[in-house]
Structures are given as structure tokens and as C-alpha cells.
Amino acid sequence: MQYVCYGKNAAEPHHGAVAGEMLHEGDAVLFDLWAPINNYWCDMTRTVFYKSVSEEHRKVYEIVKQAQQAAIDFVKPGVKMSDIDAVARKVISDAGYGEYFLTRTGHGVGMTVHEPPEASPSCDLVAEVGMCFSIEPGIYLKDNVGVRIEDLVIVTEDGCEVLTKYPKDLQVVE
């Protein structure tokens, strides 16, 4: 299953493509991919740019990437899910884009693709060894650009393991 959106539609957190809408040079293309493997779900999002990327969009991408890495680095047993969200949110807010972080930082993944716990401001559940959830901060500038980077992590004894192996470097595709 997947959502693929581009251009101004990528600036809405979970928007699909619109029939007849054309892809233009410089558009962000957001791929949100999820599928079950042996009755357990996987989930990944990447954002790429078509033919070119503006400096503003490059900046937004790098901020999201930094926010995601900061949240991943913070994950360990005993931390509150709300604190994981706060770490990602702080990076984005400190860069001046806080009002454009419209979603939670992540959600649990297991027998369904969206399940507890969620990494959000309102979730005070504590991370425990073996928990699997997404880390997927995003910035969504209405009618302009949306960038989200999502990976699944599993909590380990001393931090977490990132299960997603696809690269996160900014990509411009033809």
C-alpha cells in the first residue's frame, strides 16, 4: 500500500495524488509506503525532489532529517513517548518551522500499521525494550512543500535499532 503525493499536495500530511495534476520540476514527491510481512507491518516514508531542489526546500529537508535523527538518538528504555516527540519538535521549532510540524512524531507498528504507542505531546507511555514504532517528523508549508522522513525503530537495552535501511540523503530524481 502507498500514498504518493507531490507538489502542493505533499504539503498536506496524508494527501494522495490528484487525477490530472502534473508533476513539475522542483516538486517534492512524498512516498509513504507500508505493507505486512509475516503478519507484521512495516512503514517508511521518503521525500525526493523532481529534477531540481530550491535552497528553501533543501533547508526544510535537512531540518526534518536533523529532527528525525535527534529523536532516534533519544530513544531508549524508560523515556516517555512525549519526550521523543518533544526532541524532534524542538529541532524544527528552533529552526523557525514549529507551526508547520502538523503531525505527531510517530506511531506504534505491529499487527496493524498504526497502533499504540504514539510519539506525541499527549502520550506519556514509556518506551520499553522490544517496542516498535515510527519516527517521522515533517514540515508542511501549505501550497509549497511537504517533507517527511519515516523510519521504524525497535527499542533495545541501550537505545534503539533503526529497522529501515533505505538512505536518507536528499535525492533529486529525473
Side-chain angles (χ1 to χ4, degrees):
M1 297 182 180
Q2 66 183 10
Y3 281 122
V4 177
C5 52
Y6 47 85
K8 68 180 182 180
N9 293 323
E12 297 181 32
H14 292 97
H15 197 287
V18 175
E21 190 147 330
M22 301 298 294
L23 180 62
H24 301 285
E25 183 172 338
D27 279 350
V29 182
L30 196 147
F31 294 91
D32 187 357
L33 311 168
W34 68 99
I37 299 174
N38 296 326
N39 297 319
Y40 289 92
W41 284 84
C42 56
D43 195 5
M44 177 187 93
T45 302
R46 289 295 185 270
T47 305
V48 301
F49 294 88
Y50 180 61
K51 292 190 177 183
S52 67
V53 60
S54 72
E55 284 308 309
E56 176 190 23
H57 294 177
R58 181 180 301 276
K59 177 182 174 185
V60 166
Y61 187 93
E62 291 303 324
I63 293 165
V64 171
K65 185 177 164 187
Q66 290 168 11
Q68 193 216 29
Q69 190 60 56
I72 289 170
D73 291 345
F74 187 75
V75 174
K76 64 183 176 189
V79 302
K80 290 182 186 178
M81 298 300 290
S82 58
D83 291 341
I84 296 168
D85 179 85
V87 166
R89 205 165 291 281
K90 182 174 181 352
V91 171
I92 291 172
S93 292
D94 287 353
Y97 290 89
E99 68 185 283
Y100 305 106
F101 186 174
L102 306 177
T103 61
R104 61 191 175 196
T105 295
H107 57 84
V109 178
M111 299 298 281
T112 62
V113 73
H114 293 107
E115 61 183 44
E118 62 179 39
S120 73
S122 63
C123 184
D124 286 331
L125 291 175
V126 172
E128 298 178 19
V129 172
M131 280 184 166
C132 182
F133 51 88
S134 68
I135 302 287
E136 55 177 302
I139 294 175
Y140 306 94
L141 303 176
K142 186 165 178 57
D143 295 327
N144 184 345
V145 70
V147 172
R148 182 168 68 247
I149 302 171
E150 176 184 22
D151 290 312
L152 294 183
V153 300
I154 189 164
V155 181
T156 62
E157 293 289 336
D158 59 353
C160 72
E161 177 185 352
V162 178
L163 300 177
T164 314
K165 302 303 180 198
Y166 195 82
K168 293 185 253 192
D169 293 332
L170 187 143
Q171 294 183 44
V172 177
V173 298
E174 294 290 324

